[in-house]
Amino acid sequence: MSPIARSLAALVAAAALCAGVRIAGAQPASDVPTATLVAPRWSVAVDVGDFEPDLDSFELFYGDDKMTAWAVGFAYAFRPWLEAGGEIGRGHADGVGILTGQGVPGGQVDYTLWPAQAFVKVRGLFRPGQLFVPYVGVGLATAYYEERIDGQQKRTGTSELGAGARVGLEVYLNRLDADTHGGYGDGPVKQTYVYLEWRRFSTEQTGAELGGEQWLLGLKFGFGRDGAASRAR
Amino acid sequence: MACLLATPAALGNVAAADDLVVPRDFSDIQQAITRARVGDRVIVEPGAYQDNLRMRSGVDVIGVETARVILRARNPANALVTFDTVTGSALLGLTLDGGTLGVQVVGSNGVTIANDVLDGVAGTAVLVDSFSTVVVRNVTFANNAVAIERGTATAPVIGNIFFGNARTIVAADGATDNRANVTFNCYFRNADANPAFGVGFQLGDPLFVEPDAGDFHLRQGSACIDIGGGTDAIDASVADAGAYGGASADADPFPVGKPAANANGSAAIDVTWPANLDYHVTSSVVPGSYRLYYALNDAEPPLDGTDAGGGTQPSPIAVGNVTAFTLANLTPTVAAPGVPQLLSAEPRQNAAVLSWTAVAGATAYRVGYGAGSVDDNRIDVGAVTTLTLGGLVDGTLYRFAVTARAQAQYSIAVTALDNTPSRHESALSALTLAPLGDVVAGARSNELTAIPGPTTPVPNLPDEGCFIATSAFGSARRAEVAILRDFRDRFLLPTRPGRALVAAYYRASPALSRKLDARPAWKPWVRAALAPAVGAALVAVSSNAVEKAALAGLLAALAAVRVRRRRERAREEAR
C-alpha cells in the first residue's frame, strides 16, 4: 500500500470514527441543552512541527528524513462543525545534491518549500464548551519551492495542484481555564484551542512528489461571538 | 563565576576597602555596585556599557578614561544613574550618552558628580531634589535639553562647561535658577532666554577636539582653559572648566587615530597618523609628543620590536611632536611556514571549493592546480583556509595543492603624550599591520582531485524563471531578465505578499509565455510594456536608500505640481 493510499485509508477511518462519535453523541430533542451551539465565525491558527517529505532519498541528501515546518492559517465556520479555510507554511532543509557526471552526493543545496492549502474541516463538536474536538479535513494543495545550489542559478517555481488531508484533535483551553481569553479583556479572541494534527498532502512538479506527512502542534484562536464558551459556563 | 569567586568583595571576608574592576571582576557596573561594601571603589575600564545604575552609600564609581567609558541607558525611560537616599558617593570620569534623564539625586547627602560628560540627554542631565546635598564639578554638559535642575540652590555648580544646551541651570519648579553657588563655569551656544551665569564665568567657544567621536578635550585657544577654579591634576595650573579639569580629572590624552603604514623599499616603513588636537599635545609653547610602538611578527602588546634603525631604535620610539615617521633599517625576517593539509576539494559547476588547515605564521597561501599538474596554474590568496576556485572546465579532472607563505609583518601603534612634566600617555592606537621583505614559502601540501560539474538538487525541480520576460527578450541571460530576477529575489521573495505575488505570476505566466512564443510579432509590444517595470526594478536594485528617497521625493513633487495645475485649470474653466 502506497503512503498516499495508507493516508487516505487512515483518513476514511478517522472520518468514520468522527461520524460515529457524532451519532453516538446525539441526544433526544428533549435532552438537548437549551444553550445554542455556536462558535466564532473566524479563526486563525499557527502551528509548528515536523514535515517528512515523500522522498525516499531525502535523508541521504539532507541528513534527516524530516524538516522543521510551521504554518499559519485562517478558517471560516459555516456551522460550528463545518469550517473552510486556507493556510501557508514553510519547511527548510540544508544538504547536498548529486554531483552530475559522478553520481555521488555533493555540492550544497538549500531546499525551501512553501506549501499552501485550502481545506474543508468537519469537527466533532456536539455541545457548548466541549473539551475535546476531533476533526478531519480534506482540501487542495500546492507549493512554492526554492532550491539554492552553491555556485549555480537558483531554482524556483510552483508545483501542480494536488490534494491534502488532515486529522486532528483540538483541546478547548477555555474549558480548562474559563479565563483563557480573559487576558485579552474585551479583545476579539473568544476561544482558544491547542491542537495536535496529522496532515498529509500531495503535489507534484514534473513528476517529483513535493508533498509528505506532517505532525503539527498548534494554537487556534476564534474571533467574534462567544456563544459556546459563555453558555458552557 | 570563577572571576566572581576570586573577587575579595564576593568572598566578603576582606576588611580593607577594595577596587572592584569592571569588566575584569564583574561583567557589568551595577553588579559591582551591588556587591561593593562601604568604602569600595568600582573602577570601570574603557568600554561601552548599557545599564541604569543605582548608586549605593559609600561606593564611588570611577571611569578610568572619561572619553572611553561610555554609559548608555538600558531602559531609556529611567535615569542613567540614580542616587536615591545615598550618603557619601561619587560618580567620576564617565561619559553618559543620551537617554531621557541623566543623573537623578533624591534624598541623598555628600554626593559628588565630577569629571563626567553628559551628552545628548533628551530631558534633564542632572536632576537634584530639594533635600539633597550635591556638588556638580568639572562636568561637560553638551547638547542636553536641561543641563542642571536644582531643587535647592545650595548645590554648588563649579567649573563646568555648558555647551549647546537648551537650558543651563533651572530651578526644580521650572523657573530660572537664582545662580547661587554657581561659580567658574564656561558657557557657549546655550539657548537660555534669560541666563545668569553666576560668579567667575567665561563665555566662549570651548573648542572641543572632536565631540562627535566623544573627545571633549579642549583645543588650543579654548575659552574654557584655566578658568575653572582650583587646580588641575593634569598640569598643576589653574583648573580648566569641563570634564578634563580639576583635581580628579582623567589625565591621559585621547588615543591617537589608527596609523597608516606603507612599505618603503625592502627595509623601511613609512608611518603616518592623525594628530591629537588636545591643547596639552599641540601647545605651541611647550608641545606634547608621540611615541611609536612596533613589533615584528607579533600583534599582541607589548609591542617590543628591537630592529629599527639597525637595532638602535627599540620600541617605543620617541618621535617628538610629528605625525609621520619612517621606521628604517629594519630586518624583516620570518621563518618558513609549515605544511598545510588540503582537507577537501569539492566540485561545483565550473569551480571547486577547497579547504585546508591553517598554518602558524602563514600570512598567505598559494593554490596550485591544473588538469595535468598542480604546477599548471597558481593563485595567491590571503590568510584564508577556504577558496572557491572558478573558471574550471566541467568534466575535467583537476589536481589541487596548497603552499603556505609567510612574510615578515610589523605591528605598529602610536600614543600621544601631553606637555606636562608627568608626560601623561594615551592608550595605544589601533594596530596597523605592515608586511615587509621577501615572501618565504613552505612545502607543498598533499594533492586532491576533483571533477567540476553541476550539482543536481534533490528533488530535481525546474527553474520556472521569469517566463514572460524570458520569452519577450529571447533569453534568460538577457540583462533585462536578470534585473527582474534580481528584483524578485531581493524585494518580493523576502515578504509574504511578495511571495504570493510571485507564486500567482508563476501560475499564470507559463501559459502566457507559450502564447507569446507562438506569436513572435507580439514580442516587441510586450518588451515595450515591460520597459517601465524593468526601469523601476533597475532603480530599486541599484540605488541606495538616499537615492530612492530623492527619486520618490522628485516624483511626489512632480505629482503635486501636476495636481495643482489641474486644479487651477479646472478653476479657470469654472469661471
Side-chain angles (χ1 to χ4, degrees):
Chain A
M1 192 183 265
S2 72
I4 292 181
R6 271 204 310 274
S7 306
L8 288 174
L11 182 65
V12 169
L17 178 65
C18 209
V21 170
R22 270 192 77 82
I23 293 164
Q27 299 173 44
S30 59
D31 295 336
V32 173
T34 53
T36 307
L37 187 63
V38 295
R41 290 291 192 188
W42 289 98
S43 62
V44 298
V46 56
D47 49 45
V48 63
D50 279 339
F51 172 41
E52 184 176 350
D54 279 342
L55 289 166
D56 292 337
S57 54
F58 191 83
E59 185 173 6
L60 174 65
F61 294 99
Y62 294 97
D64 194 343
D65 63 350
K66 298 180 181 67
M67 49 184 168
T68 301
W70 56 260
V72 292
F74 72 96
Y76 180 80
F78 297 97
R79 297 283 184 274
W81 52 272
L82 180 65
E83 284 184 358
E87 70 179 13
I88 188 163
R90 183 182 188 272
H92 176 83
D94 295 340
V96 298
I98 301 171
L99 294 175
T100 310
Q102 300 171 61
V104 297
Q108 287 182 1
V109 176
D110 288 0
Y111 175 50
T112 307
L113 195 70
W114 297 86
Q117 297 189 49
F119 57 81
V120 175
K121 265 166 55 174
V122 177
R123 304 170 72 216
L125 181 62
F126 310 110
R127 57 184 178 280
Q130 183 175 316
L131 180 59
F132 296 105
V133 182
Y135 63 88
V136 297
V138 294
L140 302 173
T142 184
Y144 175 77
Y145 60 82
E146 179 182 293
E147 289 181 317
R148 291 179 181 269
I149 308 157
D150 188 25
Q152 294 173 224
Q153 187 174 319
K154 185 175 67 177
R155 300 181 181 190
T156 58
T158 309
S159 66
E160 297 159 10
L161 204 57
R166 61 190 64 203
V167 178
L169 183 70
E170 295 171 351
V171 180
Y172 186 39
L173 293 183
N174 299 53
R175 171 76 179 275
L176 299 177
D177 176 1
D179 294 327
T180 297
H181 66 284
Y184 307 109
D186 294 330
V189 176
K190 299 303 179 190
Q191 293 184 359
T192 305
Y193 287 93
V194 61
Y195 62 88
L196 179 66
E197 182 172 296
W198 173 88
R199 188 185 298 174
R200 167 168 283 287
F201 70 95
S202 172
T203 176
E204 291 190 351
Q205 171 62 295
T206 56
E209 173 59 57
L210 303 191
E213 191 172 301
Q214 290 178 287
W215 278 100
L216 298 160
L217 187 65
L219 281 171
K220 176 182 161 187
F221 304 99
F223 296 90
R225 280 197 298 167
D226 189 23
S230 60
R231 287 176 178 83
R233 282 184 231 135
Chain B
M1 181 57 79
C3 184
L4 269 178
L5 292 175
T7 304
L11 291 169
N13 58 359
V14 181
D18 289 310
D19 284 349
L20 312 182
V21 181
V22 180
R24 188 193 71 190
D25 301 333
F26 295 90
S27 60
D28 65 64
I29 304 171
Q30 186 60 56
Q31 195 182 15
I33 294 171
T34 304
R35 300 297 288 270
R37 294 167 302 129
V38 172
D40 287 349
R41 304 190 310 170
V42 173
I43 307 296
V44 187
E45 292 182 338
Y49 301 87
Q50 198 157 28
D51 215 334
N52 295 86
L53 304 182
R54 293 193 71 81
M55 302 293 285
R56 292 180 58 217
S57 294
V59 177
D60 295 343
V61 174
I62 303 170
V64 171
E65 282 187 50
T66 304
R68 296 200 300 144
V69 178
I70 300 164
L71 179 64
R72 296 189 178 93
R74 186 189 301 274
N75 182 352
N78 294 344
L80 272 161
V81 180
T82 302
F83 292 84
D84 188 354
T85 56
V86 168
T87 301
S89 176
L91 182 73
L92 309 173
L94 276 76
T95 292
L96 276 55
D97 185 24
T100 54
L101 179 56
V103 181
Q104 184 174 23
V105 186
V106 180
S108 299
N109 294 305
V111 169
T112 301
I113 302 166
N115 299 104
D116 301 308
V117 172
L118 284 117
D119 182 19
V121 178
T124 301
V126 172
L127 176 62
V128 182
D129 73 356
S130 57
F131 306 104
S132 298
T133 57
V134 181
V135 176
V136 182
R137 176 168 47 77
N138 288 104
V139 174
T140 296
F141 294 95
N143 309 309
N144 306 291
V146 176
I148 299 175
E149 186 173 340
R150 299 188 296 180
T152 168
T154 58
V157 179
I158 309 167
N160 306 284
I161 295 177
F162 295 90
F163 175 86
N165 302 285
R167 302 191 69 182
T168 51
I169 308 170
V170 300
D173 57 4
T176 302
D177 194 87
N178 63 14
R179 303 304 196 271
N181 294 309
V182 176
T183 54
F184 305 118
N185 297 289
C186 188
Y187 300 84
F188 192 64
R189 285 188 186 158
N190 301 290
D192 282 300
N194 184 24
F197 300 110
V199 175
F201 64 88
Q202 181 70 35
L203 304 179
D205 192 343
L207 294 176
F208 296 128
V209 170
E210 196 174 359
D212 290 345
D215 187 356
F216 286 89
H217 285 87
L218 308 180
R219 296 188 190 212
Q220 192 162 6
S222 164
C224 306
I225 295 173
D226 292 347
I227 63 99
T231 304
D232 262 341
I234 297 177
D235 59 7
S237 66
V238 176
D240 298 343
Y244 299 99
S248 55
D250 151 33
D252 295 338
F254 196 69
V256 176
K258 186 178 180 179
N262 295 297
N264 181 354
S266 59
I269 300 173
D270 294 332
V271 185
T272 59
W273 58 91
N276 182 316
L277 299 178
D278 182 343
Y279 82 93
H280 288 108
V281 180
T282 62
S283 169
S284 57
V285 181
V286 182
S289 61
Y290 296 93
R291 280 184 182 150
L292 192 152
Y293 290 74
Y294 71 94
L296 174 60
N297 300 326
D298 184 4
E300 295 296 322
L303 302 179
D304 51 3
T306 58
D307 57 321
T312 63
Q313 293 179 316
S315 175
I317 303 171
V319 298
N321 188 25
V322 297
T323 57
F325 187 78
T326 298
L327 286 168
N329 295 322
L330 295 165
T331 312
T333 56
V334 65
V339 184
Q341 184 186 359
L342 186 55
L343 299 171
S344 64
E346 295 180 7
R348 297 282 188 273
Q349 187 170 30
N350 299 118
V353 179
L354 309 179
S355 70
W356 58 86
T357 56
V359 171
T363 54
Y365 294 90
R366 173 168 287 176
V367 175
Y369 66 99
S373 159
V374 294
D375 295 323
D376 291 350
N377 307 283
R378 68 187 184 193
I379 183 169
D380 290 327
V381 295
V384 299
T385 55
T386 61
L387 173 68
T388 299
L389 192 57
L392 307 181
V393 178
D394 283 352
T396 302
L397 178 75
Y398 283 89
R399 300 176 184 283
F400 305 93
V402 181
T403 305
R405 296 160 67 81
Q407 187 178 21
Q409 186 163 263
Y410 285 87
S411 304
I412 297 167
V414 177
T415 61
L417 289 84
D418 66 21
N419 61 352
T420 66
S422 303
R423 292 282 175 190
H424 300 114
E425 186 174 11
S426 73
L428 285 178
S429 69
L431 284 186
T432 289
L433 303 179
L436 189 69
D438 297 330
V439 174
V440 180
R444 180 182 292 163
S445 73
N446 56 309
E447 285 187 17
L448 289 178
T449 61
I451 304 173
T455 299
T456 302
V458 177
N460 186 11
L461 303 174
D463 182 23
E464 296 183 333
C466 264
F467 294 105
I468 296 173
T470 302
S471 176
F473 290 105
S475 167
R477 294 179 185 278
R478 284 287 297 264
E480 294 90 339
V481 182
I483 289 166
L484 291 172
R485 193 184 302 123
D486 197 16
F487 179 79
R488 176 198 67 187
D489 294 346
R490 288 171 55 185
F491 293 95
L492 296 181
L493 292 181
T495 66
R496 188 169 299 145
R499 283 190 291 274
L501 187 66
V502 170
Y505 171 77
Y506 282 152
R507 270 191 292 278
S509 61
L512 292 173
S513 65
R514 278 193 294 274
K515 285 182 182 171
L516 195 56
D517 286 337
R519 296 169 180 80
W522 291 7
K523 290 192 177 182
W525 298 101
V526 176
R527 280 200 292 272
L530 285 174
V534 173
L538 180 63
V539 170
V541 300
S542 63
S543 60
N544 59 33
V546 175
E547 290 163 345
K548 285 190 184 81
L551 188 63
L554 183 64
L555 291 173
L558 286 173
V561 167
R562 196 177 173 132
V563 167
R564 193 173 168 181
R565 280 187 185 163
R566 199 172 284 174
R567 281 183 185 161
E568 285 172 355
R569 206 175 296 144
R571 236 177 272 138
E572 284 170 7
E573 286 171 4
R575 280 191 217 125

